[in-house]
Structure formats: structure tokens, C-alpha cells
């Protein structure tokens, strides 16, 4: 058993000292079989390794520096417009800052960067560029962008057309707006009449309620006065009853003492 183990050990040694080439065809390295793993793990410039930034790209070791500096989607960059270098992210219920990655720049940051150059979506001037903030002002004004489509001033009266800012005055001069204006005027007069009729009806109802309330108030006053009179009569009866009861009791006591004195004699 011991001899067999020694023979196996010697055979493995002989195999490990065999000369071989690097498994990467482009590499010219030649050495012992036992050194192949060390060579590919550390030295071979043609070995494909994972990028430590993007975690998924396999790049030849000789090209890794170029990949990290120029091609890696997760390489740290700064926004060429606003110079932002870090972004705030939420991790494990906490907020932390991390370097701005190229993938974040081209997929997310450019959508919100306030200084990102943009063109007017109305194409009012193909050579004119805006920052995102100034573009909002440009589109929000009814006078700056000549290609902006706005609602007609008579939209509330039924005009559904949208016109460009420079053509507003010509559009308003159209005769159809006069008929819309007259129609709106008649509708307004009708609404005013309805409101006046409703006002009169409300005033009439208020008067009726006021008269009914006054009648009820008079009835309540009469009821209160009758209750006060009954209360006074009840007080008088109670007083007379109390006085008569007092005299009866006093007479009974006097009579008791007189009878008692006769009995004693």
C-alpha cells in the first residue's frame, strides 16, 4: 500500500513537471503544467476576467484598464453639463451617496438634469438650444415660442380650435366668434333671469318663514304668560293652604293643653 502511494506521488510529480502552453491560444507562454493556474490567474494578459465595477462583463486582462476607463457602463463619471459627481440612493432603509455611474447618467440623470441641453419640441428654431429649466419657461409662456399651439380665447364659448401664437389676432377676428359672443351673451342673460327668479322665490319663502315664525313667537308668548298666571295662582293656593293648616294645628295644640289642665284638676 505504501509503495503504491509513493508511486502515485512520483507520477503526479512527473505530470506536474511536464511542459505545456497557456490555454489561451493568443498567449505565447510556455511552462510547467503545475504553473498554468497561477499564470492564468495572475499574469496571462489574454485571460478573460470579470470587471469589478459592472460585475458581469468578461474582458481580457490586457484590455481591462481601457474597459474600466472608457467602456464600462458602471465607471464613475461626472455630468458634463451640471458637473454632478455623486447621487443619493436608498439602501437598507438608509440614504447614502455613491459616485455617478455612466449607466445612471445616460438612463436616468439626463431626464432630470436642470442644465441638460434640449431643443424646443415645437421646433421653433432648430439651431436654438435650451436648458431644461429655460425650456419650461419657453414653453410656459404664451409669447416666447412662436410655434406653440394655444387654445382660442373663445374656448369657453365653444371654439375648439388651437392656433399658433403669431396667428392669434387673425384667428380672433374671424366672424364666427361674434356669433359665439352673442350666443354667450344670450346664455348669460338667461342665467341672470333664472338667478333673479330664484332670488325672488327665496325672498318670498323668507317672508313666509318670517311671518310663520312671528306667529309662533306670539303663541309662545301667550303660552308663557298663561303659565306664569297659573304659577302665581298655584303659589297663592299653597300659601293659603299653609296658613290654614298652621292655624288648625295651633288651635289643636291649645285645645289639647286646655283639656289636659281640666283633667289634672
Amino acid at each position: 500500500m505504501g509503495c503504491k502511494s509513493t508511486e502515485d506521488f512520483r507520477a503526479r510529480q512527473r505530470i506536474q513537471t511536464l511542459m505545456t502552453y497557456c490555454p489561451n491560444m493568443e498567449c505565447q507562454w510556455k511552462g510547467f503544467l503545475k504553473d498554468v493556474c497561477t499564470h492564468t490567474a495572475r499574469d496571462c494578459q489574454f485571460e478573460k476576467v470579470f470587471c469589478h465595477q459592472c460585475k458581469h462583463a468578461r474582458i481580457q486582462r490586457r484590455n481591462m484598464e481601457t474597459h474600466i476607463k472608457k467602456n464600462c457602463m458602471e465607471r464613475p463619471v461626472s455630468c458634463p453639463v451640471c458637473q454632478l459627481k455623486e447621487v443619493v440612493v436608498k439602501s437598507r432603509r438608509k440614504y447614502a451617496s455613491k459616485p455617478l455611474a455612466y449607466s445612471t447618467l445616460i438612463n436616468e440623470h439626463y431626464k432630470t438634469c436642470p442644465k441638460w441641453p434640449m431643443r424646443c419640441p415645437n421646433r421653433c428654431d432648430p439651431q436654438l438650444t435650451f436648458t431644461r429649466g429655460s425650456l419650461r419657461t419657453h414653453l410656459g409662456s404664451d409669447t416666447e415660442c412662436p410655434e406653440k399651439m394655444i387654445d382660442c380665447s373663445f374656448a369657453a364659448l365653444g371654439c375648439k380650435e388651437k392656433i399658433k401664437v403669431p396667428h392669434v389676432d387673425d384667428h380672433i377676428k374671424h366672424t364666427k366668434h361674434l356669433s359665439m359672443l352673442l350666443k354667450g351673451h344670450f346664455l348669460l342673460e338667461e342665467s341672470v333671469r333664472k338667478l333673479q327668479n330664484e332670488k325672488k322665490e327665496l325672498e318670498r319663502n323668507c317672508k313666509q318663514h318670517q311671518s310663520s315664525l312671528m306667529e309662533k313667537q306670539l303663541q309662545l308668548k301667550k303660552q308663557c304668560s298663561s303659565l306664569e298666571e297659573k304659577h302665581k295662582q298655584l303659589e297663592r293656593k299653597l300659601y293659603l293652604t299653609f296658613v290654614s293648616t298652621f292655624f288648625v294645628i295651633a288651635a289643636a295644640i291649645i285645645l289639647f293643653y286646655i283639656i289636659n289642665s281640666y283633667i289634672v284638676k
Side-chain angles (χ1 to χ4, degrees), residues 51 53-54 57 59 63-75 102-103:
C51 172
Q53 291 184 151
C54 58
I59 310 295
N63 298 326
M64 183 57 70
E65 185 175 357
T66 303
H67 169 76
I68 290 175
K69 290 182 178 180
K70 296 182 179 180
N71 301 325
C72 181
M73 295 296 291
E74 298 302 320
R75 67 184 184 274
Y102 180 73
S103 61

Side-chain angles (χ1 to χ4, degrees), residues 210-236:
Q210 285 179 352
S211 61
S212 62
L213 286 173
M214 290 179 66
E215 290 177 358
K216 289 181 179 179
Q217 188 177 8
L218 291 173
Q219 292 177 358
L220 287 173
K221 283 184 178 180
K222 290 179 180 179
Q223 290 178 358
C224 288
S225 59
S226 64
L227 288 173
E228 288 178 355
E229 184 64 28
K230 289 179 180 179
H231 179 69
K232 291 178 180 180
Q233 292 177 0
L234 183 60
E235 283 183 342
R236 284 196 295 269

Side-chain angles (χ1 to χ4, degrees), residues 98-116:
K98 72 171 187 177
L100 176 67
Y102 180 73
S103 61
T104 305
L105 173 66
I106 62 175
N107 293 325
E108 299 177 15
H109 175 68
Y110 86 94
K111 297 178 182 179
T112 57
C113 179
K115 295 184 179 180
W116 197 267

Side-chain angles (χ1 to χ4, degrees), residues 87-103:
V87 292
V88 178
V89 295
K90 187 176 182 180
S91 176
R92 295 182 181 179
R93 299 181 181 180
K94 292 182 180 180
Y95 290 94
S97 61
K98 72 171 187 177
L100 176 67
Y102 180 73
S103 61

